[in-house]
Amino acid sequence: MSLHPGLAAVAGLIGAWRGEGAGQYPTIESFRYTEELTFTDVGKPVLHYMQRTWSPAGAPMHTETGYLRVAGGTALEFVLAQPTGQTELAEGLLVATEDGFACTLESRMVNSGSAKQVDATERRLELAGDVLTTHFAMAAVGVPLTHHLASTLHRHAAAIR
Ligand code: HEM
């Protein structure tokens, strides 16, 4: 199956990524985590995305899934489902770099009735060869847009767990 030409700008994401991250927020204790992502080609101008995280002791932490759509070659639309009761639509323009790209995506959120209130998120993805860096900020539980997560991931031959 050949890659849809619309995916050219993000083709470097396809595959599995694994690495370490750190989280914080004004209302919680800081923490560290291990993260694994997969971006999978489904034969359309969209990649399927799956994220899982674990505590340093190996306990499951946050997971999320969705689709990364590419419009017009450089406009990224990240359509995400959160197990914490949010749906997140994050959009941004990709800037190509020598060995990858950088993109800041700003979101609109919908919260379920029992979910903690998340009003907006901002995600930064930086791909540089075999290294993927992520940053995540959110406006949530009455706190204005504030850093929550950062991780550095390395290309991995296959999903581990
Ligand atoms: C790598 C992914 C993530 C990890 C490891 C992570 C971890 C954590 C941890 C350990 C807490 C504190 C305990 C808790 O309330 O459950 C927390 C709180 C929270 N997280 Fe995350 N999180 C992640 C992603 C996200 C995402 C994507 C969102 C929003 C879409 C989010 C929204 C929140 C909210 C709203 C809180 C509650 C803050 C409060 O009640 O004061 N998190 N997160």
Side-chain angles (χ1 to χ4, degrees):
M1 183 170 68
S2 62
L3 193 66
H4 192 287
L7 289 176
V10 296
L13 285 177
I14 295 171
W17 300 84
R18 188 174 168 86
E20 305 301 317
Q24 60 193 82
Y25 207 62
T27 53
I28 60 171
E29 292 286 319
S30 299
F31 56 91
R32 304 195 74 82
Y33 59 93
T34 297
E35 180 169 32
E36 187 174 317
L37 307 184
T38 55
F39 287 95
T40 307
D41 176 28
V42 291
K44 308 269 283 181
V46 51
L47 297 178
H48 180 246
Y49 163 78
M50 178 76 188
Q51 182 241 35
R52 295 175 72 192
T53 62
W54 295 267
S55 73
M61 291 180 75
H62 186 82
T63 180
E64 60 189 30
T65 190
Y67 296 95
L68 184 65
R69 296 161 47 80
V70 185
T74 56
L76 300 190
E77 300 176 351
F78 217 172
V79 183
L80 295 167
Q82 301 293 352
T84 42
Q86 292 86 15
T87 54
E88 179 180 353
L89 176 55
E91 300 180 82
L93 284 179
L94 161 163
V95 177
T97 58
E98 196 177 317
D99 54 355
F101 68 83
C103 186
T104 299
L105 302 108
E106 293 177 358
S107 80
R108 287 174 273 159
M109 306 291 294
V110 178
N111 295 268
S112 69
S114 68
K116 289 199 174 178
Q117 184 71 22
V118 182
D119 295 316
T121 74
E122 186 179 280
R123 291 174 180 257
R124 173 107 180 141
L125 289 177
E126 293 174 5
L127 174 68
D130 289 336
V131 180
L132 178 62
T133 308
T134 79
H135 288 92
F136 177 90
M138 64 181 175
V141 295
V143 178
L145 191 69
T146 301
H147 178 75
H148 186 37
L149 309 161
S151 64
T152 302
L153 311 175
H154 297 270
R155 195 181 297 281
H156 206 272
I160 289 180
R161 305 187 213 196

